[in-house]
Amino acid sequence: MSSLPYDKSSPASIEQYAKLLVGHTFQDVLNGVVGKCQPSQEKASEYSNPNRKGGLGNLLEEVYFEYKANSESKADFDEAGVELKATPYEYNKNGSAKAGERLVLSMINYSGEIEPTLEESHVWQKCKLILLIYYLRDKTLKSNLQYPIDFVTLFTPSETDKAIIANDYKYIAEKVMSGKAETLSEADTFYLGACTKGSTAEKSKVKQFYPPHTLAKKRAFCYKNSYMTYVLNDYVMQGVITYQQEEKYEPILKDASELEDKTFATFIVSKINHYAGLTDKELCSKFDREYNNNKAQWTDLAYRMLGIKSNRAEEFRKANLTVKVIRIEENGKMRESMSFPPFKYKELIEEEWENSNLHNYFEETRFLFVVFKRSGNNYVLKGAQLWNMPLEKLDSTVKAGWDSVVNTIKAGIKFEIVETANGVVVKNNLPKKADNEIIHVRPHAQKRYFKFTDGTVIGDGNESDANQLPDGTWMPHYSFWINNDYIEKQLDKNLLD
DNA sequence: GCATGATCATGC
DNA sequence: GCATGATCATGC
């Protein structure tokens, strides 16, 4: 019997052995440059098959750590209580690092009872101590076996994080127990998400254990991508990478005990609602902010009410939560629709809906609406509401709106140049706001810039304000917007009157 | 009065 | 200079 090169009952020993991987590639492991095994070539191609999810993790498990990969609900290094997770990271254009994937922890059980609390759960037993092995997903490399392993560390969430994760778990478990797993969405929770797992096809849905036993998509517990990006930057790379800029995120939650009798969702909403009834002017004076009605004023106030000095909340970054201030006019209407980041035409038409930017954005992003209502010259705070796009709307109405935009671009946008008293207006045949209940598209640029294929230029902008259509025409950046009247309908009644 | 096209403001 | 959030302005 050969002995292992590490003590499988000791987390420290496992971590120490794992750290020898840093600076090596998966190919090095197969070649025995690090570790001691050399499997056959067939095995190498099997592990590196990009269609085999978790292949690189299995490689480390079987070749480097010398145990058989399993999909059991107990931890990989059972005796030490350590779960191994090999996971990719990437660099953004601005040089900052981000997690390449959400970290999938374990399947949500639909075939039997689910534990009501995190502490009692299988997922926590399995994942309270994780050996994180981060490799750089460098798509310029020919084989994923060439990816370098750059960071290795044991990880367990902090006490405040765990309090929020426990909240999240409870929320998911309660939905499952009430037989409503089909309504789960990753954006329902903060750090621990319920992500879809496996095919999204209708036929792959499974019957729920809890009545009324409706069919639901298979889902898994995961740490959200946004949470893992935080873990990567503020924990894994901390002290390893020295050039990273100083982050100035502030926590809203100062101590885990603040959540003893409430959820994090209730906690933040009540922090805002505490000030309901005050005008923007009164709030400005309360928080020592100049009252100047500039665009940032109401968002600034929202963060001040949450108890932080900057507009960078640590929890919101980790949870992929976006604060949106909504101002209601005296007639009860929102004047403006809500914008999102612009898209690139050529990239948009290459996307599949299920993996599209818009789909992923709404599936993963949660919103904190902070609602003000006009009263004379001021806006009065009505309160806050957490919201995310309902899943059934995302896959029906939003998808239909997205499809028709994509199809119009694919077919070739038709332009009409109209002369008016104030110059030319460029009209197009993209779907209009009234064509879809939820979304529409609008320009989202600094300046107008069109350059048609015949060389005609319209607008004061330049190419940085625009991007190219499939036929080469330059058209200003566009983005998706949520219709103001749809958002109005989503708001709690008490926020409107 | 609102939809649509156009543009502004701030932070990094 | 870009990413993101937000608002303006005109014609119908």
Side-chain angles (χ1 to χ4, degrees), chain A residues 280 284-285 287-294 297 300-301:
Chain A
D280 46 9
C284 279
S285 103
F287 293 109
D288 244 351
R289 187 199 189 280
E290 185 193 356
Y291 174 71
N292 56 7
N293 282 336
N294 83 11
Q297 173 171 284
D300 286 350
L301 289 174

Side-chain angles (χ1 to χ4, degrees), chain A residues 208-350:
Chain A
Q208 296 180 54
F209 171 79
Y210 292 94
H213 312 295
T214 44
L215 296 176
K217 273 183 197 169
K218 286 188 219 169
R219 286 183 181 270
F221 289 108
C222 69
Y223 286 145
K224 294 187 179 189
N225 189 304
S226 50
Y227 183 68
M228 293 313 294
T229 293
Y230 154 79
V231 169
L232 177 68
N233 282 286
D234 290 49
Y235 183 81
V236 177
M237 293 170 91
Q238 201 57 246
V240 181
I241 297 294
T242 50
Y243 58 78
Q244 73 166 322
Q245 57 202 19
E246 195 60 40
E247 298 282 4
K248 293 181 294 266
Y249 287 90
E250 298 175 68
I252 297 171
L253 192 64
K254 312 295 182 208
D255 192 286
S257 66
E258 292 178 274
L259 293 189
E260 264 166 13
D261 56 348
K262 53 171 93 72
T263 65
F264 186 64
T266 314
F267 178 72
I268 53 177
V269 169
S270 62
K271 270 189 172 278
I272 304 269
N273 289 357
H274 175 72
Y275 299 96
L278 296 182
T279 64
D280 46 9
K281 197 170 186 179
E282 290 165 335
L283 287 166
C284 279
S285 103
K286 198 169 193 70
F287 293 109
D288 244 351
R289 187 199 189 280
E290 185 193 356
Y291 174 71
N292 56 7
N293 282 336
N294 83 11
K295 286 180 182 185
Q297 173 171 284
W298 297 275
T299 309
D300 286 350
L301 289 174
Y303 282 100
R304 298 307 93 83
M305 290 186 269
L306 290 165
I308 60 177
K309 295 182 204 75
S310 70
N311 289 10
R312 295 151 71 88
E314 182 182 311
E315 291 90 347
F316 293 177
R317 172 186 168 214
K318 287 152 99 174
N320 217 3
L321 185 149
T322 300
V323 174
K324 293 278 192 181
V325 170
I326 292 174
R327 285 188 287 154
I328 305 288
E329 297 307 305
E330 274 172 327
N331 62 4
K333 303 263 181 206
M334 262 176 91
R335 218 170 79 168
E336 303 291 346
S337 295
M338 192 175 275
S339 70
F340 297 96
F343 52 77
K344 297 268 192 289
Y345 304 107
K346 287 182 186 173
E347 291 172 13
L348 182 68
I349 61 168
E350 292 301 322

Side-chain angles (χ1 to χ4, degrees), chain A residues 4-16:
Chain A
L4 291 170
Y6 60 93
D7 176 356
K8 64 181 179 179
S9 66
S10 158
S13 170
I14 293 167
E15 184 185 38
Q16 193 180 22

Side-chain angles (χ1 to χ4, degrees), chain A residues 309-453:
Chain A
K309 295 182 204 75
S310 70
N311 289 10
R312 295 151 71 88
E314 182 182 311
E315 291 90 347
F316 293 177
R317 172 186 168 214
K318 287 152 99 174
N320 217 3
L321 185 149
T322 300
V323 174
K324 293 278 192 181
V325 170
I326 292 174
R327 285 188 287 154
I328 305 288
E329 297 307 305
E330 274 172 327
N331 62 4
K333 303 263 181 206
M334 262 176 91
R335 218 170 79 168
E336 303 291 346
S337 295
M338 192 175 275
S339 70
F340 297 96
F343 52 77
K344 297 268 192 289
Y345 304 107
K346 287 182 186 173
E347 291 172 13
L348 182 68
I349 61 168
E350 292 301 322
E351 291 180 336
E352 296 284 334
W353 168 248
E354 282 77 16
N355 297 313
S356 66
N357 280 310
L358 189 69
H359 176 270
N360 290 347
Y361 183 88
F362 284 129
E363 187 176 50
E364 295 170 7
T365 308
R366 199 162 200 210
F367 300 93
L368 179 68
F369 292 155
V370 178
V371 182
F372 289 85
K373 185 172 178 183
R374 184 189 277 279
S375 169
N377 290 326
N378 286 110
Y379 284 92
V380 178
L381 176 71
K382 301 299 290 184
Q385 176 185 351
L386 280 160
W387 184 82
N388 52 274
M389 183 67 76
L391 208 60
E392 70 281 5
K393 286 290 188 187
L394 181 59
D395 283 327
S396 57
T397 313
V398 179
K399 177 180 188 299
W402 182 89
D403 276 339
S404 69
V405 169
V406 170
N407 290 336
T408 307
I409 298 170
K410 280 182 179 167
I413 296 178
K414 294 188 173 55
F415 295 100
E416 189 191 347
I417 296 168
V418 183
E419 299 279 350
T420 72
N422 293 294
V424 295
V425 172
V426 182
K427 297 190 170 188
N428 65 55
N429 66 333
L430 281 163
K432 307 302 179 204
K433 183 170 172 239
D435 294 331
N436 188 279
E437 181 198 355
I438 302 180
I439 55 165
H440 66 279
V441 288
R442 299 252 288 280
H444 197 156
Q446 308 296 308
K447 292 280 184 196
R448 178 168 71 160
Y449 179 78
F450 286 93
K451 186 176 182 187
F452 296 96
T453 48

Side-chain angles (χ1 to χ4, degrees), chain A residues 61-221:
Chain A
E61 292 178 313
E62 295 175 2
V63 180
Y64 188 70
F65 289 98
E66 303 175 53
Y67 68 82
K68 190 79 191 108
N70 72 73
S71 55
E72 292 172 32
S73 56
K74 59 183 183 184
D76 294 327
F77 300 98
D78 190 30
E79 290 166 66
V82 172
E83 177 75 7
L84 182 151
K85 292 286 181 195
T87 191
Y89 77 100
E90 296 170 359
Y91 286 102
N92 295 311
K93 280 180 203 150
N94 67 10
S96 63
K98 64 172 176 186
E101 304 281 347
R102 54 174 72 75
L103 195 72
V104 176
L105 302 173
S106 74
M107 293 301 293
I108 298 176
N109 182 12
Y110 287 170
S111 63
E113 289 187 11
I114 186 169
E115 302 85 3
T117 67
L118 181 74
E119 285 288 350
E120 305 164 80
S121 71
H122 281 94
V123 63
W124 183 248
Q125 288 318 310
K126 187 175 167 178
C127 299
K128 58 187 172 190
L129 190 57
I130 296 177
L131 178 66
L132 284 174
I133 300 181
Y134 270 102
Y135 58 89
L136 178 62
R137 184 160 58 194
D138 178 350
K139 288 176 178 154
T140 64
L141 296 171
K142 279 196 214 78
S143 161
N144 54 11
L145 294 176
Q146 295 175 312
Y147 292 162
I149 296 166
D150 290 337
F151 309 106
V152 171
T153 187
L154 284 169
F155 170 73
T156 196
S158 70
E159 281 305 305
T160 44
D161 283 5
K162 193 185 161 192
I164 291 173
I165 291 166
N167 268 189
D168 289 341
Y169 180 87
K170 197 157 168 260
Y171 177 90
I172 295 168
E174 281 172 2
K175 266 211 172 172
V176 171
M177 285 188 283
S178 55
K180 290 181 185 158
E182 77 280 5
T183 65
L184 281 170
S185 168
E186 194 168 343
D188 284 346
T189 49
F190 293 92
Y191 303 165
L192 183 74
C195 64
T196 55
K197 187 81 167 120
S199 164
T200 53
E202 200 63 26
K203 64 176 191 305
S204 72
K205 288 186 176 177
V206 294
K207 194 173 158 183
Q208 296 180 54
F209 171 79
Y210 292 94
H213 312 295
T214 44
L215 296 176
K217 273 183 197 169
K218 286 188 219 169
R219 286 183 181 270
F221 289 108

